[in-house]
Amino acid sequence: RVVLLDICELCLWKLSNTSALMAFQLDPKSLSLSTGRGVLGSGKDVLLCWPHEYNSAVENQRWAGALDWRGTNGWQSTKLACGFDDFAMNYAFDALYDFIPCGTDANDSKVVLFTANGKAAHLAKMRNFHASMTYIKHYPKQHNETLQRTLGVSSGLFSQQVVPTLLSIADNMSFLDWQLRLWEWNHTECFPERVTFVP
């Protein structure tokens, strides 16, 4: 009985001291956050708040209406083309906007441009991002001419714009905050203390 009480006291002491030591805070410096440059009239930034502070019914609708992808590269649905709902696609586009190419230099087609000056450059960023997400979803199930039709871009445009987009967003994409991922409220009481992911 004494041993049981000692164990209970030790557990309570550990819990009370652990919560003081493990103050979870979001780390916005390491995340790909909404910039406000890629879309107009967006919702709340989901990565800057805790899950219980985010009303997905309201905010997802705001994000979904921020950009219209219908007709981009011949597709009528981002879900079918890219595998993402409009709200997720719009958030990712906005967060990665500065890292999506919008053309090449007039004097040297090997120089990729990222600064969007005007509507045509903005639409080029949308086209490149959409084609990149479509490529990720459909390759390697499709290849060659079939994949070319699926992407809705020429082979030259694919090489000059879509491949640089894929490489650029791969280097700059960070939508997982480890503090939020390891937040105590994301786990059940059966979740092992040292496990960092669940399949």
Side-chain angles (χ1 to χ4, degrees):
R1 183 180 158 132
V2 172
V3 172
L4 182 61
L5 284 174
D6 287 344
I7 291 172
C8 290
E9 286 176 6
L10 179 64
C11 289
L12 288 171
W13 178 84
K14 185 178 178 188
L15 283 173
S16 64
N17 287 315
T18 302
S19 61
L21 295 173
M22 296 180 66
F24 285 100
Q25 293 181 350
L26 296 173
D27 181 18
K29 290 180 286 227
S30 68
L31 296 172
S32 300
L33 300 173
S34 167
T35 63
R37 289 187 290 279
V39 299
L40 298 173
S42 61
K44 190 176 189 178
D45 195 325
V46 65
L47 296 181
L48 289 178
C49 57
W50 293 101
H52 66 283
E53 299 171 338
Y54 189 81
N55 182 347
S56 61
V58 173
E59 300 302 332
N60 288 355
Q61 281 294 87
R62 290 181 180 153
W63 278 106
L67 275 179
D68 186 4
W69 294 92
R70 287 175 297 178
T72 305
N73 302 341
W75 285 88
Q76 294 303 312
S77 164
T78 57
K79 189 75 168 180
L80 291 174
C82 308
F84 297 105
D85 289 309
D86 286 339
F87 60 85
M89 189 78 167
N90 289 344
Y91 181 87
F93 177 73
D94 190 53
L96 297 167
Y97 189 76
D98 293 337
F99 307 107
I100 302 168
C102 59
T104 55
D105 186 72
N107 299 320
D108 186 356
S109 62
K110 294 178 184 173
V111 177
V112 179
L113 305 176
F114 290 86
T115 305
N117 296 322
K119 186 172 182 176
H122 180 78
L123 291 174
K125 280 182 179 270
M126 286 181 69
R127 176 201 63 217
N128 296 337
F129 185 69
H130 191 279
S132 298
M133 296 296 106
T134 305
Y135 179 82
I136 290 168
K137 180 174 192 274
H138 294 279
Y139 182 83
K141 293 181 283 184
Q142 295 180 358
H143 55 85
N144 299 336
E145 294 83 24
T146 307
L147 183 59
Q148 188 92 30
R149 285 192 301 275
T150 300
L151 297 179
V153 296
S154 68
S155 60
L157 197 59
F158 179 77
S159 299
Q160 290 182 345
Q161 294 292 290
V162 179
V163 171
T165 301
L166 287 163
L167 296 172
S168 179
I169 63 176
D171 279 344
N172 295 287
M173 186 181 293
S174 177
F175 294 119
L176 179 63
D177 187 305
W178 282 104
Q179 294 295 330
L180 184 58
R181 176 66 188 89
L182 300 173
W183 186 36
E184 57 200 282
W185 296 106
N186 279 341
H187 306 136
T188 67
E189 63 276 5
C190 300
F191 193 85
E193 186 181 353
R194 295 289 177 247
V195 172
T196 57
F197 67 91
V198 176

